[in-house]
């Protein structure tokens, strides 16, 4: 398990981060836990460091996608073979880490996606969000011909081959969601869904909190999925 | 030829833009790569001032009734091109900023590791 890194993107999560790091460390004591502090203005970085995590601090907030890509770059640069990503707001249940990681360790899949809809979703997903998820589920099927129950999940595990793709400019840092699945399908990576438990996240930190943000997300994701599917790949990836 | 007064105003504006933009570039307040569109449009304005048959030909070509409509269309298209150029530049800058921020975070971590080792 020494070659496993767990990345936790966090922005102003001082209330939850220490608990999340402790829970992850309890599950994977030999793994390296890395918190990517995306320009927090509270004590997120200090608390994460005190709990034993390696902290990568962005000088200013650049968003969730850029934060996780910093984690991928750290993993790739330091030679880790496996990576788990888990949110810093306590939404994801750390006990599911093994279920996510084991298929990747066994070589059954290059990437696993934690699905709240195959597992235990312990909160009422708001109706508009549910409609959005159904829409993206249908779009994902249209572009990949694969049924993915939770294409917007941020709870994932992957091997070094996938990390090697995600460190490049092709990774959609704006909102990496269903378009990432389209990209992996195009590159013939294998992936599977794993049932996980999810709790309600912090709505105050959600990028889809306001209607304009949600509309922009919808527009951006549709364009991004379409472009990812039909745009020529960079030469180094072909 | 266009009326003398119009010619003087057009030439003055075109030369004014050329001098202003060149001065900004000279004092390094504007990079050469962002000046070419301004200089191009000024030269184009000079050409139109001395030979307005091009403007009349283009007015006929696009089906406009007045030369001034063609000029307005040209001005709007120019501003549109400028906005697109700025959007392209901003996109490139965002990507660079993202890479730099990530690189700084990774290097800061390396630095912390080294200083921790030295303390031990």
């Amino acid at each position: 398990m020494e070659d496993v890194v767990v990345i936790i993107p966090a922005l102003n999560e001082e209330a939850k981060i220490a608990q999340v790091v402790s829970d992850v460390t309890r599950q994977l004591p030999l793994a390296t836990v890395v918190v990517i502090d995306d320009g927090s203005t509270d004590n997120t970085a200090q608390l994460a460091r005190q709990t034993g995590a390696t902290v990568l601090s962005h000088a200013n907030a650049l968003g969730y996608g850029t934060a996780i890509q910093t984690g991928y770059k750290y993993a790739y640069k330091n030679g880790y073979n496996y990576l788990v990503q888990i949110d810093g707001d306590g939404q994801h249940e750390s006990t599911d880490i093994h279920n996510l990681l084991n298929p990747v360790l066994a070589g059954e899949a290059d990437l696993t996606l934690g699905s709240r809809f195959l597992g235990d979703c312990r909160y009422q997903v708001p109706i508009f969000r549910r409609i959005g998820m159904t829409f993206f589920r249908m779009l994902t099927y249209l572009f990949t011909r694969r049924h993915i129950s939770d294409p917007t999940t941020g709870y994932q595990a992957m091997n070094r081959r996938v990390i090697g793709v995600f460190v490049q400019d092709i990774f959609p840092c704006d909102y990496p969601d269903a378009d990432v699945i389209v990209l992996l399908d195009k590159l013939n990576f294998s992936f599977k869904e794993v049932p996980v438990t999810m709790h309600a996240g912090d709505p105050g930190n959600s990028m889809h909190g306001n209607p304009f943000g949600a509309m922009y997300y919808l527009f951006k994701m549709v364009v991004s999925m379409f472009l990812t599917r039909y745009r020529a790949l960079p030469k180094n990836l072909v | 030829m266009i009326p003398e007064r119009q010619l003087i105003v057009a030439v003055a504006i075109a030369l004014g833009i050329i001098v202003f933009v060149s001065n900004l570039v000279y004092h390094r307040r504007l990079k050469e790569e962002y000046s070419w569109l301004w200089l191009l449009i000024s030269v184009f304005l000079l050409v139109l001032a001395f030979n307005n048959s091009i403007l009349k030909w283009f007015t006929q070509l696009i089906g406009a009734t007045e030369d001034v409509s063609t000029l307005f269309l040209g001005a709007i298209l120019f501003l549109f091109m400028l906005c697109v150029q700025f959007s392209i530049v901003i996109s490139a800058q965002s990507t660079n900023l993202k890479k730099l921020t990530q690189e700084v975070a990774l290097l800061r971590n390396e630095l912390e590791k080294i200083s921790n080792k030295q303390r031990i």
Side-chain angles (χ1 to χ4, degrees), chain A residues 175-190:
Chain A
Y175 296 134
D177 272 339
D179 45 357
V180 170
I181 297 171
V182 176
L183 174 66
L184 291 176
D185 180 71
K186 192 174 174 177
L187 291 168
N188 292 320
F189 281 103
S190 59

Side-chain angles (χ1 to χ4, degrees), chain A residues 42-56:
Chain A
D42 63 5
N43 293 318
T44 300
Q46 292 92 313
L47 288 167
R49 207 172 275 121
Q50 280 167 18
T51 325
T54 297
V55 177
L56 304 175

Side-chain angles (χ1 to χ4, degrees), chain A residues 27-56:
Chain A
Q27 294 301 322
L28 297 173
L30 297 177
T32 304
V33 179
V34 177
V35 170
I36 303 101
D37 164 35
D38 190 29
S40 296
T41 49
D42 63 5
N43 293 318
T44 300
Q46 292 92 313
L47 288 167
R49 207 172 275 121
Q50 280 167 18
T51 325
T54 297
V55 177
L56 304 175

